[in-house]
Amino acid sequence: MPHIWGVRTTWRTVGDGEFFCPGCGGDRSYLRRIGRHRFALLGIPLLPRGTAGTVVECAACRACFRTDVLGHPTTTRFSAMLRDAVHTVALAVLAAGKEGIDGSGTALTLELHEVLDPLAPHLAPAGSEDILLQGARIALADGPYTPSEHHTLAAVGRALLLSHEDTERLLAIAARTPP
């Protein structure tokens, strides 16, 4: 027997875009939707009964998620962030290896944080460690770490949310590893 009355949720689309869908596992289009509960009679929504909240609906799999999924980068954006991070770390370490860069140390630290801060929360610990180790290998290409290179690599570790102990351990491992 069909329901004569009940509560029904109606959805209204208020935005769209692209996101990484945790359901499908890829970059997908989404609809941002706001739901309202309504008292329904004979399947027809009539009286408002409150809000159902805002959801993000994947256009491919139709799964719905909380809006915080939009804070995660798409794979395309993540790839660009990773490329920029590796490039910036390499440049910072190379600049630190030159004589007389003391005046630009603050600028380098700011640039490192500008590039690494948005990326760090999305990296697995092994990914953060790998970026630091790549910078360490660049610094070691011309001999042991200079104080400026060590300072820069410590700043990289902090920006990547690595503990001081982990950063120092990784720098020591890189220094002991033959090229």
Side-chain angles (χ1 to χ4, degrees), residues 7-149:
V7 176
R8 209 170 147 190
T9 304
T10 57
W11 296 95
R12 179 172 54 99
T13 301
V14 294
D16 61 8
E18 186 175 83
F19 80 130
F20 179 82
C21 177
C24 301
D27 293 350
R28 306 285 188 253
S29 296
Y30 72 85
L31 298 174
R32 182 183 216 128
R33 306 188 81 197
I34 295 177
R36 294 199 45 94
H37 298 300
R38 297 187 181 272
F39 176 74
L41 184 60
L42 298 174
I44 300 170
L46 299 172
L47 302 172
R49 297 289 295 163
T51 62
T54 304
V55 297
V56 173
E57 180 183 306
C58 177
C61 70
R62 298 288 183 217
C64 293
F65 306 95
R66 295 183 353 204
T67 57
D68 62 349
V69 299
L70 298 178
H72 301 283
T74 62
T75 55
T76 303
R77 176 71 185 125
F78 185 74
S79 176
M81 291 167 67
L82 193 55
R83 182 192 65 237
D84 292 346
V86 170
H87 180 79
T88 301
V89 168
L91 289 177
V93 170
L94 289 170
K98 293 187 181 250
E99 295 296 323
I101 72 136
D102 295 333
S104 64
T106 303
L108 284 172
T109 301
L110 289 174
E111 186 173 349
L112 282 170
H113 279 284
E114 183 178 304
V115 173
L116 298 178
D117 286 353
L119 175 66
H122 304 290
L123 285 174
S128 297
E129 292 175 358
D130 190 53
I131 291 173
L132 179 66
L133 287 171
Q134 287 180 37
R137 285 190 286 277
I138 292 168
L140 292 166
D142 62 351
Y145 302 119
T146 64
S148 185
E149 288 171 334

Side-chain angles (χ1 to χ4, degrees), residues 1-6 42-43:
M1 177 173 200
H3 290 92
I4 294 176
W5 62 274
L42 298 174

Side-chain angles (χ1 to χ4, degrees), residues 89 92-93 112-113 116 128 131-132 151-162 167:
V89 168
V93 170
L112 282 170
H113 279 284
L116 298 178
S128 297
I131 291 173
L132 179 66
H151 176 75
T152 298
L153 290 167
V156 169
R158 284 190 303 277
L160 290 171
L161 307 177
L162 295 171
T167 299

